[in-house]
Amino acid sequence: IHSRRIVYIGAVISWLVLLAILLLTQHIRLAGFALCAGVILLLGISEQVTYGMIEADGVCAALLNPKLDFSLIRVCLSIGYSIINFLYTPIVDRFGPIAPFTCTMLYLVVLLAFSGCLRSFETFPRENATQASTTEKLGVGRLFKNYYLVSFVLLNLIMSLGSQTTYYQIYLLEALEMNTALVGLAAGIRVLGEIVIMPLVPYIKRKISLPMLQVVAGVFFILQTALSLVCTNPYVVLGVIGLKGIANGITLSSTAVYLRLMAPEGLDTTTLSLSTAMSSLGLVIMSLLGGAVIDSLGIFALYRIALYFLCLWMVLYFGSWAFGKYVLKKAPPVPMFVTKARPRGVPPVV
């Protein structure tokens, strides 16, 4: 297609169509299965593609202006998300859970109106599009020759499996006998954590390498999940959700940049898309299994499973790095224990 803008418009339009189908099928059941549940699964795909495009363009904008850190761009998305979630709490309480889906359709129309902004961040000029596309197509195999890149993308699947408890917070609130309409407030608190940490990430990166930042985010994910299992005070639980926001903020501000540094020349967008696909696969798996676990074992069992996945990710993350460096004798493209990641083209520091 050679155009991010066209892909973006297609994703937003599909999102709009699926929302309309959701509103029309919300009360329809086939063989006891709620048809809208399948539509929501498809909605997640359109949503991930749209967010992925916005994130990739944010990285491109940061690269075009070295003085602008990507985290400062990404925080704008989190601010908007936080405002909407705080507003949704009274809306859901007054009009019911279907109201946010209706409001989202109006927001998507606004997003379509601003789609022209993406023209500034096309990967290749139109006159070189064919040649660049052919080169990228022939060189996709280079992605799988980078041990550290492949291992990191695969580990994203495990991280995704452990960090998707956000979508089940309403059941946690219900188990603690809290008003489930507060789920919007909980989401707002989570995103508030993102907003607080994101402007600090440029300063943190001066002291901690991008690979180690992933570990810091993993620690916050583990803390939030573990504390959710032991805390019984509803207000403390809402505060603990803010830890998830800090973890998300670090991940959202650093992972895309880290992947870009590891990506082969000309495959930056493909690398980001592959990583997003693995995270989306984790979301799909947890969407399919999460409900069954909650129905049979309860919400706290799901949180324990998520905690196991997060601890497994931590072990495999350090293990894969050590295996690559000391067993395979491959120099890490971005050193783990340094304060500054190497620019592209500069030999790695072992």
Side-chain angles (χ1 to χ4, degrees), residues 31-321:
F33 176 77
L35 191 60
C36 62
V39 178
I40 290 176
L41 182 62
L42 295 176
L43 275 172
I45 298 175
S46 296
E47 179 182 346
Q48 288 296 323
V49 172
T50 305
Y51 283 155
M53 294 298 299
I54 294 175
E55 188 172 67
D57 289 324
V59 174
C60 288
L63 292 173
L64 290 173
N65 185 357
K67 295 182 179 180
L68 180 63
D69 193 89
F70 172 67
S71 60
L72 301 179
I73 298 175
R74 186 56 180 78
V75 74
C76 296
L77 185 61
S78 295
I79 290 174
Y81 187 81
S82 181
I83 292 172
I84 289 300
N85 276 282
F86 278 116
L87 292 176
Y88 273 166
T89 296
I91 291 176
V92 172
D93 201 29
R94 174 67 178 83
F95 299 102
I98 203 66
F101 294 98
T102 306
C103 295
T104 300
M105 296 182 72
L106 301 177
Y107 305 147
L108 291 176
V109 173
V110 176
L111 287 178
L112 279 175
F114 283 94
S115 63
C117 298
L118 299 184
R119 288 175 176 170
S120 302
F121 306 112
E122 296 290 352
T123 305
F124 304 108
R126 179 168 296 276
E127 60 268 22
N128 296 329
T130 304
Q131 180 181 354
S133 176
T134 303
T135 303
E136 182 173 344
K137 181 178 179 181
L138 294 176
V140 169
R142 289 180 292 151
L143 284 173
F144 304 100
K145 294 180 180 180
N146 187 327
Y147 165 80
Y148 292 97
L149 175 59
V150 172
S151 61
F152 183 78
V153 170
L154 291 176
L155 286 173
N156 268 359
L157 173 60
I158 298 177
M159 172 61 82
S160 180
L161 291 172
S163 61
Q164 299 299 341
T165 51
T166 300
Y167 296 94
Y168 298 98
Q169 281 177 349
I170 189 170
Y171 297 104
L172 180 63
L173 299 180
E174 189 177 63
L176 295 172
E177 299 181 350
M178 296 175 64
N179 184 355
T180 53
L182 291 175
V183 67
L185 177 62
I189 292 174
R190 187 189 76 248
V191 180
L192 185 61
E194 296 179 12
I195 295 171
V196 169
I197 195 64
M198 280 183 175
L200 300 177
V201 170
Y203 303 99
I204 297 173
K205 287 194 295 188
R206 297 175 184 176
K207 302 295 183 181
I208 303 176
S209 68
L210 286 171
M212 188 57 68
L213 267 178
Q214 313 308 308
V215 176
V216 175
V219 169
F220 277 103
F221 277 127
I222 290 173
L223 280 175
Q224 184 270 330
T225 307
L227 290 175
S228 296
L229 288 169
V230 299
C231 293
T232 56
N233 186 299
Y235 301 102
V236 175
V237 170
L238 285 175
V240 167
I241 291 173
L243 296 177
K244 180 71 170 288
I246 294 176
N248 283 344
I250 295 173
T251 301
L252 294 171
S253 299
S254 61
T255 301
V257 180
Y258 181 37
L259 285 167
R260 202 273 177 186
L261 287 174
M262 290 193 293
E265 288 287 352
L267 294 178
D268 301 345
T269 304
T270 305
T271 301
L272 292 173
S273 299
L274 181 61
S275 179
T276 301
M278 295 303 292
S279 298
S280 299
L281 178 60
L283 173 60
V284 170
I285 294 174
M286 285 302 287
S287 298
L288 295 174
L289 298 181
V293 172
I294 293 173
D295 289 338
S296 58
L297 302 174
I299 182 62
F300 294 107
L302 180 65
Y303 270 75
R304 283 193 293 271
I305 292 173
L307 183 60
Y308 297 151
F309 275 122
L310 291 171
C311 292
L312 176 63
W313 176 88
M314 186 70 73
V315 172
L316 292 179
Y317 183 75
F318 278 111
S320 63
W321 177 83

